[in-house]
């Protein structure tokens, strides 16, 4: 089993005709993902390396039965693209694009929550989601993850997600699904959504959660784990040595006034029974120890 | 992007909020001339991207032009928490009856906009929040629904503002919310929002952070870019479009993705080294970006070794390798480079680098071993 994405998911790419969308759309297709369509308002009837282009997500759905979308359009067009996908009834919308304004994110997050509760938004500014051996949506290099489980991975950081699944593969440990929730201020899917889904997924027997400084998502996840998660959780929080008040790249990664520090997050997680590694390698070792006892 | 007070007031004025007339001055003579044009009394206010100006002596009342001269000469050049004052805002002085606090920002937990209003303004709001949290009236606004006048009135009543301030506050706070949303601000704050003895509500200070991601619909925000506070290294990196934060150590760090870059800084610390910087070359980094990153690091005199930590998702291994090779041809890199390359097309990248390996460029297979190597090289 896996969460949110499997081999039956049919995906339309909004932005497949652009160079980045085309590159990753093709890689996802090679991986085995059902890449069934792309959209472009003026290029309907053409194709991108064999994948047909439709004028809209609704038309793509009509023709192909797609139920998920991957968004590669520029920041200015993301709000429109997300709403188009939701209105067409997509169950999963994965937004890879970075640089989306906060007010757009806050708006479409709340709009979806109110009017399209059956649409799961992932991102923006996320690497996507991979259910190894089944399907891959986004920019994760497929070969770095071993298929089959028993570990579910959820992370705020793209490259640390890759790092984590790669460390697990090196130890011959498989992954059910790896979800990159992204580091933006208003992520469509958060840690708690993924923890709940992994808890309910019979194939997932342990969870790797990778956080970073800033905000309070890790602290909230810790509370959720304490109350609701019975499976073992290993965590790593990036930015242990980041100086306060410095903004480090992500909109998400900023420490201010002693809040959102890696230390506070690690303590909250340990208090919830989570095993916390000081670096990605240590977290991988901790997970290997747990998997050995399953 | 953080705005200076005067820029924030100009921003507020665009949305119809009442601010005092004033002029910006870069020298004592300019300050005096501004005061003569405005007419005394005026306030002389240091413009810096940090709080606590008043306590540091950066905000002074000047009854006449001589006082303006004295205060401006004291304030220009003043060090406020490491920020040297280079400009002062000369503003027509206001009579104050009461001081309030008002702000909007994103509540990341609730994923809603959060407005805060207090009749205990003019002081550090974090102190009020700690000592007397009930004095702050909070309102959560769903961005889809917006802020109605009814909500505004309930909020103002909850904050306990006096009758005389209600109508003026309804007007200003409604406009503040519009400025926050339509102006794509991450944060807007007025402290103090004042009630004058004549019963007018007025904006006396501003703190505004704009969302740099929104520049595509606010091309005029480019003007604020040049007034951001950056050290020399940060300025050079910014000019190349790199995400860079200067630190104090000797190991230059280049990584792709903010998470991995932070993690690299962590690991360098954990193996006993001190990172010189945080540098995220981002998702789609190509040869040009890598070359630019190496140039920025190389220009930092504290750097004794360079640790390049790349895990390829969007960034492909051969692009990284080509970038390093090209940069080494373009600039004389003074410090040895340790690289760790994994992910998309890592093998292609490693194959490209293989003929260039030596004392100047080394390759390690894990993040930890590469960090250890770079730290050892930095120690000499």
């Amino acid at each position: 089993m896996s969460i949110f994405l499997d081999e039956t998911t049919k995906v339309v790419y909004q932005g497949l005709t652009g160079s980045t969308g085309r590159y990753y759309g093709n890689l996802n297709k090679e991986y085995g993902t059902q890449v069934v369509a792309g959209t472009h308002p003026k290029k309907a009837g053409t194709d991108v390396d064999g994948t047909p282009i439709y004028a809209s997500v609704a038309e793509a759905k009509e023709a192909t039965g797609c139920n998920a979308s991957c968004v590669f359009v520029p920041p200015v067009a993301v709000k429109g693209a997300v709403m188009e996908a939701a209105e067409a009834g997509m169950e999963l919308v994965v937004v890879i694009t970075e640089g989306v304004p906060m007010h757009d994110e806050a708006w479409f997050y709340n709009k979806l929550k109110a009017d399209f509760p059956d649409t799961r938004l992932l991102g923006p500014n996320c690497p996507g989601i991979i259910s190894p051996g089944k399907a891959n949506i986004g920019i994760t290099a497929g070969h770095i993850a071993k298929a089959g489980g028993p570990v579910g991975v959820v992370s705020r950081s793209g490259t640390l997600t890759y790092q984590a699944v790669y460390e697990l593969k090196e130890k011959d440990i498989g992954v059910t699904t790896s979800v990159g929730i992204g580091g933006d201020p208003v992520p469509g899917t958060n840690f708690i959504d993924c923890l709940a889904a992994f808890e309910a997924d019979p194939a997932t027997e342990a969870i790797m959660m990778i956080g970073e400084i800033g905000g309070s998502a890790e602290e909230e996840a810790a509370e959720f784990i304490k109350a609701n998660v019975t499976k073992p959780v290993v965590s790593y929080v990036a930015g242990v040595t980041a100086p306060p008040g410095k903004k480090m790249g992500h909109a998400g990664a900023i420490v201010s006034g002693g809040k959102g520090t890696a230390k506070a997050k690690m303590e909250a997680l340990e208090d919830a029974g989570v095993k916390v590694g000081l670096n990605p390698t240590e977290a991988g070792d901790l997970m290997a120890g747990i998997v050995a006892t399953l | 992007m953080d705005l200076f007070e005067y820029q924030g007031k100009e921003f507020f004025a665009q949305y119809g909020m009442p601010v005092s007339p004033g002029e910006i001055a870069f020298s004592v003579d300019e300050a005096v001339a501004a005061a003569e044009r405005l007419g005394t009394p005026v306030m002389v206010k240091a413009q810096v991207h940090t709080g606590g100006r008043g306590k540091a002596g950066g905000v002074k009342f000047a009854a006449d032009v001589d006082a303006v001269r004295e205060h401006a000469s004291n304030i220009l050049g003043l060090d406020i928490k490491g920020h040297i004052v280079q400009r002062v805002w000369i503003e027509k002085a206001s009579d104050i009856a009461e001081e309030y606090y008002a702000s909007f920002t994103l509540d990341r937990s609730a994923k809603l906009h959060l407005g805060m209003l207090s009749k205990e303004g003019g002081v550090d709001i974090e102190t009020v929040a700690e000592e007397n949290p009930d004095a702050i009236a909070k309102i959560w606004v769903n961005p889809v629904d917006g802020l109605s006048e009814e909500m505004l009135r309930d909020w103002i009543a909850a904050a306990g503002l006096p009758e005389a301030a209600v109508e003026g506050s309804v007007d200003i706070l409604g406009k503040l919310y519009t400025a926050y949303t339509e102006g794509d601000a991450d944060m807007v704050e007025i402290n103090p929002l004042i009630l004058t003895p004549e019963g007018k509500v007025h904006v006396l200070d501003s703190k505004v952070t704009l969302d740099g991601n929104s520049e595509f619909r606010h091309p005029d925000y480019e003007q604020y870019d040049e007034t951001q506070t950056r050290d020399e290294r940060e300025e050079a990196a910014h000019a190349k479009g790199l995400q860079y934060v200067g630190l104090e150590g000797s190991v230059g760090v280049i990584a792709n993705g903010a998470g991995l870059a932070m993690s690299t800084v962590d690991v360098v610390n954990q193996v006993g080294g001190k990172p010189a910087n945080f540098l995220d070359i981002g998702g789609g980094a190509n040869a040009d970006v890598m070359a630019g990153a190496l140039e920025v690091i190389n220009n930092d005199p504290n750097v004794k070794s360079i640790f390049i930590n790349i895990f390829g998702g969007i960034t492909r291994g051969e692009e990284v390798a080509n970038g390093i090779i090209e940069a080494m041809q373009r600039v004389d890199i003074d410090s040895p480079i340790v690289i760790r390359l994994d992910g998309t097309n890592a093998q292609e990248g490693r194959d490209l680098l293989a003929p260039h390996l030596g004392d100047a460029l080394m390759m390690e297979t894990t993040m930890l071993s590469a960090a250890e190597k770079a730290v050892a090289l930095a120690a000499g």
Side-chain angles (χ1 to χ4, degrees), chain A residues 56-196:
Chain A
S56 67
V57 176
E59 285 179 25
K61 186 189 179 190
E62 180 73 33
T64 67
C66 59
N67 59 350
S69 150
C70 182
V71 177
F72 270 106
V73 301
V76 62
V78 166
K79 184 174 164 182
V82 168
M83 292 318 299
E84 182 187 333
E87 282 161 11
M90 295 301 104
E91 293 156 26
L92 176 67
V93 180
V94 180
V95 183
I96 307 301
T97 310
E98 67 178 300
V100 178
M102 179 275 280
H103 283 277
D104 286 3
E105 292 184 6
W107 189 89
F108 60 66
Y109 173 87
N110 283 290
K111 184 71 177 169
L112 261 53
K113 191 176 169 189
D115 295 344
F116 303 94
D118 297 332
T119 297
R120 168 168 301 285
L121 176 69
L122 181 61
N125 190 17
C126 80
I129 175 170
I130 177 169
S131 293
K134 295 176 179 169
N136 182 12
I137 300 179
I139 61 177
T140 306
H143 64 84
I144 62 171
K146 182 181 187 298
V151 178
V153 177
V154 56
S155 168
R156 258 168 89 180
S157 152
T159 38
L160 285 178
T161 316
Y162 315 151
Q163 178 72 43
V165 298
Y166 182 76
E167 299 254 1
L168 293 174
K169 188 189 180 191
E170 293 281 283
K171 298 176 201 308
D172 204 35
I173 297 170
V175 168
T176 50
T177 299
S178 172
V179 190
I181 59 175
D184 271 9
V186 195
T189 292
N190 63 21
F191 282 131
I192 292 173
D193 299 325
C194 297
L195 290 165

Side-chain angles (χ1 to χ4, degrees), chain A residues 24 102-104 220 236 241, chain B residues 109 185 211 217 263 266 270 314:
Chain A
Y24 289 100
M102 179 275 280
H103 283 277
D104 286 3
E220 287 151 23
Y236 164 65
T241 55
Chain B
S109 297
D211 180 357
R217 57 185 168 222
S263 187
D266 286 349
Q270 281 162 12
I314 258 188

Side-chain angles (χ1 to χ4, degrees), chain B residues 96-329:
Chain B
I96 300 171
E98 294 190 20
E99 297 183 294
Y100 314 128
Y101 169 95
S103 69
F104 285 103
T105 189
L106 174 74
D107 180 337
R108 288 171 55 158
S109 297
K111 298 182 170 73
L112 299 169
H113 298 313
L114 169 65
M116 291 194 280
L117 180 63
S118 175
K119 60 179 180 181
E120 293 187 21
V123 292
D124 180 16
I125 197 66
E126 285 181 24
T127 312
V128 177
E130 267 173 37
E131 291 170 3
N132 189 10
D134 292 343
I136 302 173
K138 294 182 176 176
I139 187 172
W140 280 269
V141 185
N142 187 308
V144 176
D145 305 331
L147 178 60
S148 69
E149 189 177 322
E150 194 189 344
M151 288 163 73
L152 263 175
R153 288 186 183 277
D154 288 347
W155 183 35
I156 291 163
L161 264 51
E163 190 55 40
V166 169
E167 292 311 314
S169 298
V170 168
D171 178 57
I172 291 178
L173 296 175
K175 287 169 176 167
L176 183 65
Y177 182 76
T178 304
Y180 168 66
T181 52
E182 289 180 12
D184 275 297
D186 287 335
M187 199 266 312
V188 290
E189 181 182 276
I190 308 171
N191 189 21
L193 176 70
I194 60 161
L195 179 66
T196 67
E198 300 81 44
K200 290 227 161 39
V201 183
H202 190 81
V203 176
L204 210 57
D205 196 3
S206 84
K207 206 169 173 191
V208 174
T209 305
L210 298 175
D211 180 357
N213 286 343
S214 73
E215 267 188 58
F216 62 76
R217 57 185 168 222
H218 304 288
D220 54 315
Y221 288 0
E222 207 182 327
Q223 64 177 307
Y224 302 123
D225 191 59
E226 63 191 50
T227 54
Q228 296 305 299
T229 305
R230 303 185 185 98
D231 72 18
E232 208 174 297
R233 299 173 300 173
E234 288 171 347
E235 192 59 52
H238 180 75
K240 293 180 193 297
L242 300 167
Q243 297 278 354
Y244 179 100
V245 178
L247 302 170
E248 310 299 324
S250 57
V251 180
V253 169
I254 299 175
N256 65 322
L260 188 65
M262 272 191 287
S263 187
T264 308
V265 166
D266 286 349
V267 170
V268 167
N269 272 305
Q270 281 162 12
V271 299
K274 287 274 173 263
N277 65 278
F278 160 99
L279 201 171
D280 169 18
I281 57 170
N286 55 26
D288 279 345
V289 175
M290 177 57 77
L294 276 170
E295 280 174 29
V296 167
I297 302 260
N298 194 50
N299 285 339
D300 181 347
N302 293 329
V303 168
K304 299 286 180 278
S305 69
I306 302 172
F307 177 10
I308 302 178
N309 190 9
I310 303 293
F311 203 101
I314 258 188
T315 311
R316 298 168 222 173
E318 68 267 34
E319 290 180 32
V320 176
N322 281 327
I324 294 163
I325 294 161
E326 192 180 323
M328 290 178 77
Q329 286 160 353

Side-chain angles (χ1 to χ4, degrees), chain B residues 39 69 72 86-87 127 135 148 206 220 234 336 342 348 350 357 378:
Chain B
R69 185 176 299 283
Q86 287 168 332
R87 58 186 85 196
T127 312
S148 69
S206 84
D220 54 315
E234 288 171 347
D342 250 318
E348 287 87 336
R350 289 179 197 149
L357 296 179

